[in-house]
Amino acid sequence: MTISTPQTMYEKLWQSHLVEEAQGETPLLYVDRHLIHEVTSPQAFANLRFHNRPVRHPERTIATMDHNISTRSIKIDAAGEGAANQLRALAINCKDFGIELFDMGHKNQGIAHVIGPELGLTLPGTIIVCGDSHTATHGAFGALAFGIGTSEVEHVFATQTLRQNKAKTMMIEVKGHVGAGISAKDIILAIIGKTGSAGATGYVVEYCGEAIEALSMEERMTVCNMSIEFGAKAGLIAPDQTTFDYVEGKEYAPKGDVFEQAVVDWTNLKSDIDATFDAVLTLEAKDIKAQVTWGTNPGQVISVDGIVPSPEDFSDPVEKESCINALKYMGLTAGTKMTDIQVNKVFIGSCTNSRIEDLRAAAGVVQKYEGQQVVDTIDAIIVPGSYRVKEQAESEGLDKIFINAGFEWRLPGCSMCLGMNDDVLAEGDRCASTSNRNFEGRQGRGSRTHLVSPEMAAAAAITGHFVDLNA
Amino acid sequence: MEKFNTHTGLVVPLDIANVDTDQIIPKQFLQKTERVGFGVHLFHDSRYLDHAGTQENPDFVINKPEYKGASILLAGENFGCGSSREHAPWALQEYGFKVILASSFADIFYGNCINVGLLPIKLSETEIEQLFKLSPDAQLTLTVDLPNNTVTCGELSFKFSLNEFQQYSLENGVDSVGWTLDKLDTIKAFEAKMPAWQ
C-alpha cells in the first residue's frame, strides 16, 4: 500500500497533464481543448505558415467568430472592414489548417466561453485554453482553463502542449447559503471586493462551500469567469452530479461506456480532504448583498444599499490614489447613494452573463415591473451568448418580454463587453453592464461602466437608476 | 525572437497602479492580422487628446520631451492586468521599450512579455519606490544585465530573478515551438496513455 500526499484538484489536474518536467525547463503540460477566435489567432497562424508547421490536432481545436462581429446583422462586413478582415482571415485559416469553424449565423456560433460548455466541448478533468482571459469560465466544470497570448496559441497549435510554471493554490470557501435574490454575479463581485483586483495574482483559485455547491452550472460559470478579475490564473469548482448531469448528452461530450468511465475519473478530481492550500479565504454567504462597482477596476465594488466611498476610507496610499482617480473618471461624488446613480445605457450580455438563466433572471425582473417600459433616455440591449441561447430564449418567449418593454434584442457576440464592434459607448455614457470589466475606456473612450447582475441591469433599465431589489 | 543580453536606456516613470491592457492598447486597435502597427497606438487614450490620435496630450508622461527615446518603463504595481492580448507587449516593444520594471505584473501579461522578448523585471516595492523617487529629475538611465540578473543605476544595484528556462530562452532567443517539437516522441507517448474520454 502506498501512502500518497493529499492533493488539491489543481495538483491532480497538473499531474494528469504533465508531459515532461525536464531539468532546467519549464514543465510541459498537455492541452486537451483549444478554443480560438478571430482576434488573437491570425498572427499565430501566420507563424505556422512561415515555419511550414501544421496544426497538430485540428480536431482538438474549435473556432468561433465572436469578438468583433455585429449584433445587428450576420453579414461578415457589418461591423466594419477591420473586423471583416479578421473574420475572413479566420475562415481561411480554419479551412487551410482543417479546423472546425462556427462562422456567421452557424447554429453553434456564439461566444467561445458560452458555446464550449453548451456543446459539451468543455469537460471536467481537461486543460482548456483560449487566447482570451475569460477562459477561466470553463473551470466551473473542474477543468483547468486559462487565457493565453498569441505566441502560446501558436505553441498549442503546433504541439498541443504549453509550458507553464506551477501556480500557488487558494481556496475560497463561501459558507452557508446566500439570501433570496442574490446572484452568482454578486458572489464573485463580493469576493473580488474582498481580495482586491490583484488579490489572487499567482494563484489558481478553488471555490467551494455550500453556497458554491448549490449553484447551477451556469451560475458556476459566472463565478469562475471573473477569476481573472482578481488576478487568478484560473478558477476551479469540483465537478459533482450537477456537472455530470449538465455534460451528459451534449453534442460533443463522450457517450455510453466512455461517459460512464469519465464520470468515475471526474468524481476523483475533487481536492483531497487533507489537501493544503497556500492561501485560504472564507466568506459567509448570508453577508453577501447585491453588488455594484463604483470604480474602474472590479475590486472597486460595494453593496447596492451602500454609498460611493471616499478616498479617506482607504488607508493604503495606492488604493487611496486609485479611488481619487476612479471617482474623477466615473464622475461620482463620495457619499452618493448607489441607488441614486442614474444610467443612460444598459448592456445585458458577455461571457459572464449571457446564458439562458441570465436572460430568464433579467426577464423575470422586467415582468415584476408589470408593463413598465425602459426609460426613454436609456438604450438597453440584450445580447444572447450564442445562437443556441437565443433560440432557447425565443422558444420561451423571453425576447417578447424584452422587446415589449423597450429593450433591443440583438444577435449573439461579445458586443459591448469590449466594444470591438459598433456596440460602443460614447464619452460620458454611464452603463449598467453585466460584463466583467469596468476599466477606463473598456466600453468606449471616456465611458463609465458599472458591473452588475442581469437582475440589477434589467431593473436599472426600467427605473433609470440602480435598485436594491431585495429591500 | 531576438536575444537579450544587456540593455542601457532612459527610464520613463509611469506611476499608476493597475494599468490594464485596455489602457496599454485599446480594443479598436486589435483588428490587425499582423504583429506590427501597434506602437503608434500605445496608451492611446492617455497619450492623445483626440480619438484619431493626432493631438498628443502634453501632460502624459511619455509625451514629455525629456522622456523621448525612453526604452525602459518604470511602472506601478499589477501592471498589465486584464486581457490576454499579446498586442499589449507588441505595442510596448514597437514603441521602443526593451524592459519593464514593476513590483508586480499580471500573470498572462508577464508570460506574453517573455514570449516576445520584452523583459519584465520584478523588483521589491521599496526598490521600485526608490527608482520613482529618482526619476522625476529626468534622464534617469539604467543598465539591465540579464546574464547577471542585475539592474544598475549609478551607485544603486538591484538583483532580480527569472525562471530558469525563461532566462535561457531570452538570452538565447529560443524558438520555443521548435524546442518543444523536438520532444514530439515524448508528447506522443503521453497521448498514447490518455483515457478514451479525454
Side-chain angles (χ1 to χ4, degrees):
Chain A
M1 193 181 116
T2 55
I3 299 167
S4 55
T5 315
Q7 289 182 309
T8 64
M9 182 165 34
Y10 171 61
E11 283 156 350
K12 293 181 187 183
L13 286 161
W14 178 276
Q15 284 304 328
S16 66
H17 287 81
L18 187 61
V19 174
E20 187 189 60
E21 196 166 11
Q23 179 67 35
E25 295 183 21
T26 306
L28 191 65
L29 297 183
Y30 197 76
V31 172
D32 299 296
R33 184 72 66 196
H34 189 192
L35 302 169
I36 64 167
H37 60 86
E38 72 275 17
V39 178
T40 56
S41 65
Q43 295 87 350
F45 280 116
N47 272 15
L48 288 184
R49 282 202 178 85
F50 179 79
H51 291 284
N52 200 23
R53 289 167 176 158
V55 170
R56 204 161 158 257
H57 279 297
E59 80 287 1
R60 291 183 176 275
T61 316
I62 287 279
T64 186
M65 295 177 170
D66 60 3
H67 272 64
N68 60 23
I69 58 174
S70 169
T71 57
R72 301 168 196 268
S73 162
I74 62 163
K75 284 188 186 156
I76 206 161
D77 56 357
E81 205 42 46
N85 272 342
Q86 279 192 331
L87 296 166
R88 289 192 193 103
L90 181 66
I92 291 166
N93 286 330
C94 287
K95 186 163 175 284
D96 288 358
F97 288 88
I99 294 166
E100 188 172 10
L101 166 68
F102 304 140
D103 60 1
M104 301 303 294
H106 190 288
K107 70 175 169 53
N108 290 343
Q109 191 198 3
I111 305 173
H113 313 311
V114 174
I115 65 168
E118 74 184 7
L119 294 173
L121 291 161
T122 303
L123 299 178
T126 58
I127 288 187
I128 301 173
V129 297
C130 174
D132 185 278
S133 58
H134 294 109
T135 306
T137 311
H138 309 268
F141 291 77
L144 180 60
F146 51 90
I148 57 176
T150 298
S151 296
E152 292 174 309
V153 169
E154 180 192 345
H155 194 279
V156 178
F157 276 157
T159 70
Q160 206 57 39
T161 64
L162 260 187
R163 290 194 186 278
Q164 289 289 306
N165 294 310
K166 204 165 185 181
K168 291 180 282 186
T169 55
M170 180 186 291
M171 180 176 86
I172 298 183
E173 184 181 10
V174 188
K175 287 186 165 173
H177 293 281
V178 291
I182 298 302
S183 71
K185 185 67 162 284
D186 300 315
I187 297 176
I188 188 64
L189 283 173
I191 289 171
I192 301 170
K194 201 155 184 169
T195 63
S197 65
T201 301
Y203 290 88
V204 164
V205 170
E206 181 176 338
Y207 304 95
C208 62
E210 285 173 290
I212 301 296
E213 288 164 21
L215 298 175
S216 69
M217 286 316 297
E218 302 208 342
E219 292 170 322
R220 293 179 190 186
M221 288 184 236
T222 299
V223 170
C224 287
N225 172 275
M226 290 190 72
S227 301
I228 185 72
E229 306 312 336
F230 58 120
K233 177 83 187 172
L236 291 170
I237 294 175
D240 57 12
Q241 199 56 46
T242 305
T243 321
F244 310 145
D245 290 346
Y246 179 97
V247 173
E248 189 170 15
K250 293 276 188 289
E251 192 173 330
Y252 288 78
K255 308 282 186 309
D257 292 348
V258 181
F259 181 78
E260 297 305 321
Q261 182 53 50
V263 169
V264 172
D265 292 350
W266 296 341
T267 305
N268 294 326
L269 273 172
K270 61 177 175 287
S271 292
D272 295 331
I273 292 169
D274 297 326
T276 53
F277 291 80
D278 298 305
V280 176
L281 176 71
T282 306
L283 283 83
E284 294 292 338
K286 64 176 169 41
D287 297 339
I288 298 174
K289 297 178 179 177
Q291 304 283 307
V292 191
T293 60
W294 55 267
T296 52
N297 72 56
Q300 292 177 322
V301 64
I302 199 158
S303 302
V304 68
D305 62 358
I307 56 172
V308 175
S310 154
E312 301 312 313
D313 298 341
F314 300 92
S315 53
D316 178 80
V318 174
E319 284 186 52
K320 194 185 286 277
E321 181 76 17
S322 290
C323 177
I324 293 167
N325 293 336
L327 293 185
K328 187 175 169 212
Y329 182 84
M330 294 296 288
L332 292 173
T333 309
T336 307
K337 281 184 178 173
M338 293 308 292
T339 48
D340 285 346
I341 297 173
Q342 309 269 330
V343 301
N344 70 329
K345 294 278 162 34
V346 171
F347 169 58
I348 298 178
S350 87
C351 57
T352 314
N353 280 129
S354 65
R355 298 178 181 83
I356 190 65
E357 290 180 10
D358 299 313
L359 302 187
R360 285 178 192 145
V365 169
V366 173
Q367 283 181 310
K368 276 187 192 157
Y369 283 96
E370 293 177 332
Q372 287 188 56
Q373 295 282 303
V374 170
V375 173
D376 280 350
T377 51
I378 293 181
D379 296 323
I381 64 171
I382 316 262
V383 184
S386 71
Y387 276 90
R388 288 184 178 232
V389 171
K390 180 171 178 284
E391 188 183 22
Q392 178 65 31
E394 289 172 355
S395 76
E396 296 177 21
L398 304 184
D399 57 326
K400 297 286 185 302
I401 294 170
F402 291 126
I403 292 165
N404 290 340
F407 290 86
E408 283 183 61
W409 180 246
R410 297 285 190 88
L411 301 176
C414 296
S415 181
M416 200 180 276
C417 174
L418 82 167
M420 272 196 77
N421 64 357
D422 50 350
D423 300 333
V424 186
L425 297 180
E427 195 147 352
D429 274 351
R430 188 180 295 285
C431 184
S433 179
T434 67
S435 54
N436 40 57
R437 286 194 177 128
N438 50 344
F439 295 157
E440 287 186 20
R442 171 78 177 178
Q443 295 187 297
R445 184 175 177 147
S447 67
R448 294 154 173 172
T449 303
H450 294 273
L451 303 177
V452 290
S453 68
E455 294 91 327
M456 298 259 288
I462 289 177
T463 63
H465 55 86
F466 296 113
V467 177
D468 185 356
L469 290 165
N470 307 310
Chain B
M1 192 168 80
E2 275 183 46
K3 293 180 185 180
F4 194 111
N5 193 274
T6 61
H7 175 75
T8 300
L10 178 66
V11 179
V12 56
L14 183 67
D15 194 3
I16 306 170
N18 302 311
V19 171
D20 58 69
T21 53
D22 281 88
Q23 289 174 61
I24 297 171
I25 180 87
K27 69 290 182 99
Q28 65 267 35
F29 306 114
L30 305 184
Q31 291 187 331
K32 293 183 171 68
T33 54
E34 308 83 30
R35 273 176 199 249
V36 293
F38 300 102
V40 67
H41 305 301
L42 178 71
F43 297 123
H44 182 275
D45 289 1
S46 312
R47 190 168 151 201
Y48 301 107
L49 294 169
D50 59 332
H51 278 286
T54 57
Q55 272 179 278
E56 280 196 356
N57 174 5
D59 295 332
F60 187 57
V61 66
I62 278 178
N63 291 334
K64 295 188 174 172
E66 61 266 37
Y67 296 120
K68 290 287 178 197
S71 58
I72 299 176
L73 182 66
L74 176 61
E77 66 182 46
N78 195 29
F79 188 77
C81 59
S83 86
S84 64
R85 61 187 72 160
E86 199 165 295
H87 312 68
W90 293 338
L92 287 158
Q93 204 169 35
E94 195 175 310
Y95 177 87
F97 288 116
K98 306 278 186 204
V99 177
I100 308 172
L101 302 167
S103 62
S104 59
F105 293 91
D107 288 335
I108 306 177
F109 176 82
Y110 182 87
N112 286 343
C113 286
I114 300 273
N115 288 334
V116 305
L118 173 64
L119 178 59
I121 297 180
K122 279 184 225 176
L123 295 179
S124 74
E125 284 180 24
T126 320
E127 289 162 347
I128 290 291
E129 201 51 45
Q130 271 182 282
L131 293 174
F132 270 123
K133 279 188 182 140
L134 289 173
S135 57
D137 299 330
Q139 306 299 326
L140 177 68
T141 299
L142 282 181
T143 296
V144 174
D145 180 337
L146 180 59
N148 289 304
N149 294 110
T150 56
V151 174
T152 315
C153 173
E155 290 178 1
L156 287 176
S157 183
F158 304 126
K159 290 294 278 182
F160 66 92
S161 65
L162 280 183
N163 154 301
E164 189 179 356
F165 190 60
Q166 290 175 335
Q167 168 120 8
Y168 178 85
S169 298
L170 282 170
E171 281 183 37
N172 296 281
V174 168
D175 163 21
S176 61
V177 174
W179 186 281
T180 301
L181 281 174
D182 284 345
K183 296 163 179 282
L184 215 48
D185 289 346
T186 310
I187 300 170
K188 284 179 179 167
F190 178 90
E191 286 172 331
K193 291 187 291 184
M194 280 165 44
W197 57 264
Q198 198 181 342

